[in-house]
Amino acid sequence: MTPAVFGHGHLRLYLLSLLDEQPRHGYELIQALEQRFGGTYVPSAGTIYPRLAKLVEDGLITKREDGRRSVYDITDAGREELRARAGELDGIESELSDSVRRLADEVRSSVNAAMRTLRADLAANAREARDESRSAGASGRTENVSVRVESRSRLQEAEAALAEFRAELRSDLRRAVVEGELTAETVRELRGGLDELRHRVRESLTTPRG
């Protein structure tokens, strides 16, 4: 997946920029990249550690042991390379924004495909429910079975709606994180809206049916 996100040599340069911010463990670098991409891209250890080893070999970063983990830090030579390639790094940041949008679109497409499959499953379950209701009618248990069948079908519809809401909003939030646009006010708005919705749904569940 790396070639689709970083051009040749760009991941190496981006790792230098992350270490220029602060020393990090290898896993912290992976987490930092995941956060920059809003979770749409998570590099593997097999992608990161060989590049770190090469940076150490080239004298651009150092490696020291901290308990059971290794800490990487940039050297003066590494900072010099960053300064010399500052324009290239700016271009990488722009490319990353495009990559994040592309990956988010791919995630959204896969979510939409999953939702279409789920709706097809719901339709199939509805047909099975009708068959079950007809069978129950023949044995005199129509009313009770019909109520259970309808409740089960509505539960599936509710779960589908929740899954679709979560997937789409999560994609939007992660994109906002990458672009630095997720504010505390947005999070408060989300929490408040969800609390209000949960209260209204619970009220509807406890309201006696007419």
Side-chain angles (χ1 to χ4, degrees), residues 39 42 66 145:
V42 184
D66 178 20
V145 171

Side-chain angles (χ1 to χ4, degrees), residues 3-172:
V5 176
F6 288 96
H8 179 68
H10 287 176
L11 177 56
R12 166 189 168 99
L13 184 60
Y14 204 73
L15 288 172
L16 275 180
S17 72
L18 291 175
L19 292 174
D20 190 39
E21 295 174 359
Q22 64 182 71
R24 301 178 195 259
H25 303 293
Y27 182 63
E28 288 173 334
L29 286 166
I30 292 174
Q31 287 181 311
L33 283 164
E34 180 181 5
Q35 290 170 0
R36 298 293 171 92
F37 280 86
T40 58
Y41 168 66
V42 184
S44 67
T47 296
I48 296 301
Y49 285 103
R51 285 166 173 80
L52 290 173
K54 187 64 168 63
L55 288 169
V56 171
E57 180 183 335
D58 293 344
L60 301 180
I61 66 174
T62 60
K63 174 184 175 182
R64 60 182 171 82
E65 300 305 318
D66 178 20
R68 299 176 62 183
R69 296 184 296 181
S70 299
V71 178
Y72 298 89
D73 197 2
I74 193 168
T75 63
D76 289 340
R79 292 190 180 91
E80 182 60 33
E81 175 153 339
L82 278 180
R83 284 193 292 270
R85 301 175 64 183
E88 187 177 350
L89 186 60
D90 290 340
I92 292 174
E93 292 286 359
S94 177
E95 290 175 5
L96 290 185
S97 295
D98 292 340
S99 294
V100 169
R101 293 189 181 93
R102 184 176 66 253
L103 290 170
D105 287 341
E106 291 174 0
V107 169
R108 188 174 292 108
S109 296
S110 65
V111 168
N112 289 338
M115 292 310 302
R116 286 194 295 271
T117 300
L118 182 55
R119 292 189 184 101
D121 290 340
L122 288 173
N125 289 335
R127 287 193 296 272
E128 293 175 1
R130 287 194 294 270
D131 292 341
E132 183 178 340
S133 182
R134 284 195 293 269
S135 298
S139 61
R141 297 182 295 108
T142 305
E143 184 175 353
N144 289 338
V145 171
S146 178
V147 170
R148 289 198 301 272
V149 166
E150 288 181 6
S151 292
R152 184 172 61 189
S153 178
R154 288 168 184 159
L155 173 62
Q156 291 171 331
E157 291 176 8
E159 289 177 342
L162 286 171
E164 185 172 12
F165 170 81
R166 182 180 186 277
E168 292 185 356
L169 186 58
R170 188 182 188 192
S171 176
D172 292 338

